Amino acid sequence: AQSVAQPEDQVNVAEGNPLTVKCTYSVSGNPYLFWYVQYPNRGLQFLLKYITGDNLVKGSYGFEAEFNKSQTSFHLKKPSALVSDSALYFCAVRAIFGTGTSLTVIP
Amino acid sequence: DTGVSQDPRHKITKRGQNVTFRCDPISEHNRLYWYRQTLGQGPEFLTYFQNEAQLEKSRLLSDRFSAERPKGSFSTLEIQRTEQGDSAMYLCASSLAEATNEKLFFGSGTQLSVL
């Protein structure tokens, strides 16, 4: 069985500050990990994925995620947050999604 | 490439009625997924197809729900004898399943309201 947990329902960060959205996973076999974003009144969009290779994965809109096998984590990061990054973020292992984290970037 | 298309965008029905939703995936995609999402929650996996074969169905899914993908292209999701708890956004996604590289492309969803 595979599962993914997003421990924070809500993350607030000031514009220009670094942001982190946390995700931990449980899976047997290779962890195919994804981040998706859902902007208000818009569909889910792919951000980035980890399949194999470098533990630091770069994706769309300046986001990146770090795969940590020992901690079974795949946290989403961005060095400098923008107000336009405010959205719902979902971590997924294969086709199973977490409950989501609402990110609010405060001007 | 017109993306994943879902029809209708909105459906209002009375409790006990049957409803059917349609999903047209990206044309070359061989996998198709159905999810259900309620406000503020993550997409809940319902079922998925590879070509015309339904490979997995959520154990939590009521037998009132059925999905088909008869020719390996578009898919339909039917809910029989709808209940108020079925009210949700129903999302379809498609992907091109290669060895280890699978990215889901989502449609805009069908919002179901059961009165």
Side-chain angles (χ1 to χ4, degrees):
Chain A
Q2 50 206 10
S3 64
V4 60
Q6 294 181 243
E8 302 158 317
D9 291 335
Q10 174 81 39
V11 169
N12 297 325
V13 64
E15 186 176 23
N17 283 2
L19 70 86
T20 299
V21 182
K22 295 180 181 177
C23 171
T24 58
Y25 66 90
S26 173
V27 66
S28 55
N30 293 325
Y32 301 144
L33 298 162
F34 300 81
W35 277 101
Y36 291 82
V37 60
Q38 190 170 36
Y39 296 103
N41 301 313
R42 295 180 64 181
L44 279 157
Q45 298 176 37
F46 169 84
L47 264 185
L48 52 78
K49 68 179 185 291
Y50 172 83
I51 303 298
T52 186
D54 290 340
N55 290 342
L56 186 64
V57 179
K58 294 189 183 297
S60 308
Y61 312 121
F63 283 91
E64 57 191 27
E66 186 169 10
F67 171 67
N68 187 316
K69 187 174 181 179
S70 63
Q71 297 185 2
T72 61
S73 67
F74 188 56
H75 300 331
L76 181 70
K77 300 180 180 184
K78 187 172 183 180
S80 178
L82 300 173
V83 172
S84 58
D85 293 330
S86 299
L88 271 172
Y89 290 83
F90 295 96
C91 182
V93 54
R94 297 179 184 255
I96 305 301
F97 283 72
T99 52
T101 298
S102 178
L103 172 68
T104 300
V105 180
I106 303 164
Chain B
D1 176 8
T2 57
V4 178
S5 177
Q6 292 188 244
D7 184 68
R9 292 294 301 274
H10 304 275
K11 178 70 177 178
I12 300 173
T13 191
K14 293 183 179 180
R15 189 175 52 188
Q17 297 294 305
N18 298 344
V19 294
T20 300
F21 309 141
R22 177 180 170 122
C23 172
D24 287 90
I26 293 172
S27 58
E28 65 268 26
H29 284 183
N30 55 357
R31 282 193 179 171
L32 186 148
Y33 296 78
W34 284 101
Y35 289 86
R36 176 171 59 192
Q37 186 179 22
T38 53
L39 194 63
Q41 298 298 311
E44 175 194 359
F45 170 80
L46 297 180
T47 187
Y48 93 95
F49 294 83
Q50 180 149 322
N51 302 312
E52 66 274 10
Q54 188 173 18
L55 295 187
E56 190 172 343
K57 185 175 178 179
S58 170
R59 285 172 289 176
L60 302 177
L61 197 60
S62 163
D63 58 9
R64 296 184 295 105
F65 287 69
S66 62
E68 293 182 344
R69 194 184 184 197
K71 297 181 180 179
S73 56
F74 74 92
S75 176
T76 57
L77 177 69
E78 181 182 17
I79 308 174
Q80 296 182 325
R81 306 180 302 282
T82 53
E83 302 173 357
Q84 288 184 327
D86 296 332
S87 297
M89 177 73 81
Y90 289 84
L91 296 170
C92 176
S94 70
S95 72
L96 184 61
E98 298 168 343
T100 57
N101 185 5
E102 183 177 12
K103 178 173 76 175
L104 300 182
F105 292 80
F106 281 85
S108 298
T110 294
Q111 181 67 53
L112 173 66
S113 298
V114 181
L115 305 178

